[in-house]
Amino acid sequence: MQKLSLGGGKIKREGFLNVDLCEEADIRHDLRFPLPFADKSVGEIMAIHLIESFYQWEFPHILKDWYRVLDGKLTIEFTDLRSTVKMYLSKNRRDRKYGHWGLYGNQESPIDPIVLHHYVYEKLELEKLLEETGFENIKFTKEEIEHNPKRDYRVICST
């Protein structure tokens, strides 16, 4: 079964097909539209700091499509709203910077607006959405965080 890295940009993950809008992607695809894969044809999906790029009203439909193609494991690394707000309000300059980035994405230089943050989930809110979509064995962890362990979580679940 195929393994997909969704929204990974230029980052290539060993054994994963990179699905993104960028030119370096294995499959150029706008993830706001249904994935070009058959039902239950994907064994694993990894989405690292992708869900923040969708509006709150968009992501439930996107997540349902991921569930449609998946027969296995989903890993999402995301910016947690509660942790981000604490950092944003911190007296520590570096924490405030990463809290700001958590809320809005890095806006220090012009980039494609699609990668800026449109919505930041709180852990329990995301858990409820995953459950409502049908995912099971939902576990949140701070292990293997790629961006900011103080602010971010990984959630691992399955179909």
Side-chain angles (χ1 to χ4, degrees):
M1 286 190 131
Q2 294 191 25
K3 294 173 17 174
L4 305 179
S5 173
L6 302 180
K10 298 175 184 179
I11 298 170
K12 299 284 186 177
R13 296 182 187 284
E14 177 104 20
F16 285 79
L17 203 58
N18 186 15
V19 182
D20 198 306
L21 280 174
C22 72
E23 290 182 24
E24 295 83 2
D26 299 316
I27 297 177
R28 288 189 75 186
H29 181 75
D30 186 336
L31 294 166
R32 293 172 294 177
F33 296 97
L35 290 166
F37 299 96
D39 295 2
K40 304 294 181 196
S41 64
V42 174
E44 184 173 352
I45 290 176
M46 183 169 285
I48 305 300
H49 287 278
L50 169 65
I51 69 172
E52 299 88 350
S53 297
F54 302 118
Y55 292 106
Q56 182 185 22
W57 54 267
E58 287 179 307
F59 187 58
H61 303 290
I62 293 165
L63 187 63
K64 285 178 186 170
D65 190 57
W66 296 359
Y67 186 84
R68 173 188 67 81
V69 302
L70 188 61
D71 185 17
K73 176 181 170 183
L74 171 65
T75 301
I76 298 173
E77 183 172 311
F78 69 102
T79 302
D80 174 59
L81 179 60
R82 197 173 292 266
S83 303
T84 298
V85 169
K86 285 180 187 174
M87 290 180 78
Y88 184 77
L89 297 174
S90 171
K91 293 181 187 210
N92 178 293
R93 176 185 274 174
R94 182 183 166 124
D95 281 356
R96 281 196 315 271
K97 176 181 178 176
Y98 285 109
H100 192 271
W101 283 6
L103 290 172
Y104 304 109
N106 181 357
Q107 297 194 23
E108 292 180 354
S109 59
I111 58 171
D112 185 344
I114 198 167
V115 301
L116 297 176
H117 291 186
H118 299 298
Y119 191 78
V120 180
Y121 281 88
E122 196 272 326
K123 187 172 118 176
L124 294 175
E125 178 186 18
L126 182 56
E127 180 176 33
K128 182 179 179 198
L129 180 57
L130 289 164
E131 287 173 348
E132 288 173 350
T133 305
F135 287 97
E136 300 174 338
N137 307 313
I138 301 167
K139 293 181 178 72
F140 289 84
T141 182
K142 290 282 195 175
E143 295 176 13
E144 299 184 53
I145 297 294
E146 292 188 19
H147 285 173
N148 190 310
K150 193 170 185 179
R151 179 195 67 200
D152 303 337
Y153 276 100
R154 271 197 179 202
V155 60
I156 301 166
C157 53
S158 59
T159 54

